Amino acid sequence: MDRKAKDLIEDCRQRIHAMSIIHNRLYSSESLSRVSFKGYTEELLADIARSYGTRPGDVALVTGRR
């Protein structure tokens, strides 16, 4: 399989996983109309970091208002 096809498959996998994270968060929350965006983004970004093979602490997520 060529590199372009591999990249396309990986991109699709990451998108599907992002949708599964929000799906799980919606159905495990008390209300389907509310989900913690902060928790979702932290989980999603941690998963993205893992998918690129980074170790814990290699990437820092800074949140909050500036």
Side-chain angles (χ1 to χ4, degrees), residues 4-64:
K4 187 175 180 180
K6 286 181 181 179
D7 289 344
L8 181 60
I9 290 170
E10 179 59 22
D11 182 57
C12 289
R13 187 201 68 76
Q14 288 176 354
R15 289 172 187 246
I16 291 167
H17 190 71
M19 288 185 286
S20 74
I21 291 171
I22 195 66
H23 173 80
N24 288 337
R25 286 193 164 268
L26 280 169
Y27 283 94
S28 66
S29 70
E30 293 179 16
S31 170
L32 291 178
S33 63
R34 303 188 101 193
V35 68
S36 167
F37 185 72
K38 181 180 186 287
Y40 167 70
T41 55
E42 287 172 346
E43 185 176 350
L44 180 61
L45 292 173
D47 184 65
I48 291 169
R50 277 191 302 275
S51 74
Y52 284 99
T54 61
R55 297 178 310 227
D58 284 350
V59 177
L61 172 62
V62 179
T63 59

